[in-house]
Amino acid sequence: MNTRQLQYAVLLAEERNFSQIAKKLNITQPALSKQILGLEAELGVKLFDRSSLPLKLTAAGKHFVREAKELLYKEEQLIKSMDYYKSGEAGNLVIGITPFRSFYMISDVIKRIREKYPKITVSLKEAGSDVLRKGVAEGRYDFAIVNLPVDESVLDVKLLEPDRLVLAVPEALSKEMPRDEIDFKDCLELPFIVLGEGQEMRILFDKLCAAAGFVPRIAAEVVGLTTAWTVAKAGVGATILPWQFVKEHKGDGLCFIKIKDAVYTRQPVIVTRRDQYISDAAAYAMDLLTK
């Protein structure tokens, strides 16, 4: 049994199709089949039920693939740790982050990493929190920044400063409004820019509206917070944004007002997979983010 056979079995378990995996691996289907048959012969059990299409894992196959994934992950972590000793401070630091947070949170961190570790390449992998949670659990990143909740049986967590939400209102719509703090029930007549249903910030917005007892006037529904901010700046309507972002963008045509008794916040965290190798550069980056 070797690493290649483990990789082939795991890939086949995911795709359930010999021809598709052979094409991805750029090998012939008979060659792939020979590797899997050899593995099954060595183990003395059948891993795949070939009597149906798509293929099905046997009970033994399900156990094998689960353990094979762990072995491949540990092998990858060992190689990463050895690469550090081989190359010193050179290498690649892979950070998972949402596009919105990468817009305001990470640039200074990258600069300081590069100052301390000039041979390091920093790779930002931008995605939504659900994709990032799955990716970090699979060991794809050195660390990722996501919102709670996460599966703490798999991931180690470091808390970051909570996102405090504020109301961002175009100056033309805010003339009769208080400048410091507003009761959200007084926003009944405002047109709103919102994110799509199911997104975390939309859920928080809907909770604010429900607590205030009104159905909001939706002027626009957008994909991301950066777009919501841009559309709000154009004067289309108000939106809610994290203060950590907007505090750097005062004077851009928007009035930022605290929301009275807003108990709804997002809790961002740094997550790493448990037992994952943490390079010096990754530890330094996480330390910068938590200060």
Side-chain angles (χ1 to χ4, degrees), residues 6 11 13 32 40 67 101 105 150 154 164 166 181 227 244 277:
L6 295 179
L11 287 171
L32 174 60
E40 290 178 324
E67 296 301 316
R101 285 205 171 97
M105 177 181 283
V150 300
V154 177
R164 293 180 290 122
V166 296
E181 188 176 63
T227 306
Q244 286 82 345
Y277 169 71

Side-chain angles (χ1 to χ4, degrees), residues 22 26-33:
N26 198 28
I27 61 175
T28 65
Q29 185 172 332
L32 174 60
S33 181

Side-chain angles (χ1 to χ4, degrees), residues 114-133:
R114 292 281 300 150
E115 288 171 349
K116 187 174 179 65
Y117 301 98
K119 295 181 181 179
I120 286 285
T121 299
V122 180
S123 298
L124 291 186
K125 303 297 183 181
E126 296 182 333
S129 280
D130 287 344
V131 173
L132 294 175
R133 291 186 192 99

Side-chain angles (χ1 to χ4, degrees), residues 16 27 246 273:
R16 310 292 177 90
I27 61 175
V246 299
R273 175 168 161 157

Side-chain angles (χ1 to χ4, degrees), residues 119-253:
K119 295 181 181 179
I120 286 285
T121 299
V122 180
S123 298
L124 291 186
K125 303 297 183 181
E126 296 182 333
S129 280
D130 287 344
V131 173
L132 294 175
R133 291 186 192 99
K134 183 174 185 292
V136 76
E138 294 174 351
R140 297 181 191 173
Y141 318 116
D142 287 280
F143 66 86
I145 300 170
V146 301
N147 295 319
L148 288 180
V150 300
D151 184 354
E152 295 189 41
S153 69
V154 177
L155 303 175
D156 287 325
V157 172
K158 295 180 183 292
L159 294 177
L160 295 172
E161 180 185 4
D163 287 334
R164 293 180 290 122
L165 304 182
V166 296
L167 183 69
V169 190
E171 292 287 357
L173 298 177
S174 67
K175 292 179 180 178
E176 305 299 324
M177 301 180 73
R179 291 287 158 157
D180 295 326
E181 188 176 63
I182 191 168
D183 195 316
F184 206 68
K185 68 182 180 182
D186 295 330
C187 301
L188 173 65
E189 299 301 323
L190 279 177
F192 281 99
I193 298 116
V194 299
L195 271 63
E197 291 186 4
Q199 294 194 54
E200 290 165 318
M201 191 62 80
R202 175 62 180 272
I203 293 169
L204 295 177
F205 173 78
D206 289 344
K207 286 181 177 179
L208 282 169
C209 293
F214 70 83
V215 177
R217 294 171 53 202
I218 306 299
E221 185 175 280
V222 299
V223 173
L225 286 172
T226 306
T227 306
W229 168 62
T230 303
V231 176
K233 284 201 303 179
V236 174
T239 192
I240 59 171
L241 294 169
W243 173 245
Q244 286 82 345
F245 167 71
V246 299
K247 67 182 179 182
E248 305 295 335
H249 298 278
K250 294 180 180 179
D252 59 3

Side-chain angles (χ1 to χ4, degrees), residues 264-276:
Y264 305 112
T265 61
R266 300 191 308 175
Q267 177 60 64
V269 292
I270 297 172
V271 286
T272 55
R273 175 168 161 157
R274 290 198 170 174
D275 301 322
Q276 178 173 318

